[in-house]
């Protein structure tokens, strides 16, 4: 399985990468919204992991853009934004699930 992890925090990005690689995923990392959009739009991915607070383009903009392009791959929002408003907005924009940081693979 293949996924981009779009995360601006390098420590979190590497943690996600390691955890998913242990589950036999191939992970491509992007540290800003524009690069993440490019990766997610051009690759054959099984899942997209997306932070909301990203430089250059917000995660919600990336999410909206991907859904507007007709991409149907599942998108998991992984973010520190834990308010109900953020969750509702992301899910209404097209996220399939929403996980808040800190998190654990277990």
């Amino acid at each position: 399985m293949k996924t981009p992890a779009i995360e601006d925090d390098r420590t979190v990005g590497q943690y996600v990468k390691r955890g998913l690689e242990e589950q036999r995923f191939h992970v491509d990392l992007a540290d800003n919204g524009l690069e993440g959009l490019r990766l997610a739009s051009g690759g054959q991915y099984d899942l997209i992991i997306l932070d909301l607070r990203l430089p250059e383009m917000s995660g919600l903009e990336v999410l909206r853009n991907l859904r507007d392009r007709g991409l149907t791959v599942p998108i998991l929002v992984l973010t520190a934004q834990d308010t109900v408003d953020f969750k509702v907005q992301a899910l209404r924009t097209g996220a399939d699930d929403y996980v808040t940081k800190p998190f654990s693979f277990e």
Side-chain angles (χ1 to χ4, degrees):
M1 296 188 75
K2 190 173 174 185
T3 184
I6 307 167
E7 169 63 59
D8 66 322
D9 182 314
R10 288 182 189 267
T11 302
V12 173
Q14 289 299 322
Y15 177 74
V16 169
K17 181 176 173 74
R18 262 192 325 274
L20 289 173
E21 286 175 342
E22 289 175 5
Q23 300 301 315
R24 303 200 191 283
F25 275 80
H26 170 79
V27 181
D28 295 323
L29 290 176
D31 64 1
N32 67 71
L34 289 176
E35 176 67 13
L37 179 61
R38 185 191 66 75
L39 272 178
S41 297
Q44 297 294 328
Y45 292 109
D46 301 293
L47 170 70
I48 296 169
I49 299 175
L50 178 64
D51 189 11
L52 292 183
R53 286 191 171 175
L54 296 168
E56 299 186 36
M57 177 183 273
S58 77
L60 280 176
E61 291 174 289
V62 172
L63 176 60
R64 186 174 297 111
N65 198 301
L66 292 171
R67 292 306 189 216
D68 287 348
R69 293 177 185 203
L71 225 66
T72 59
V73 63
I75 299 175
L76 170 70
V77 169
L78 176 62
T79 185
Q81 303 298 319
D82 63 354
T83 66
V84 172
D85 289 339
F86 275 106
K87 291 176 186 178
V88 169
Q89 188 175 16
L91 293 168
R92 285 187 177 159
T93 302
D96 293 281
D97 207 347
Y98 194 104
V99 176
T100 56
K101 299 173 192 171
F103 70 98
S104 170
F105 277 96
E106 290 76 31

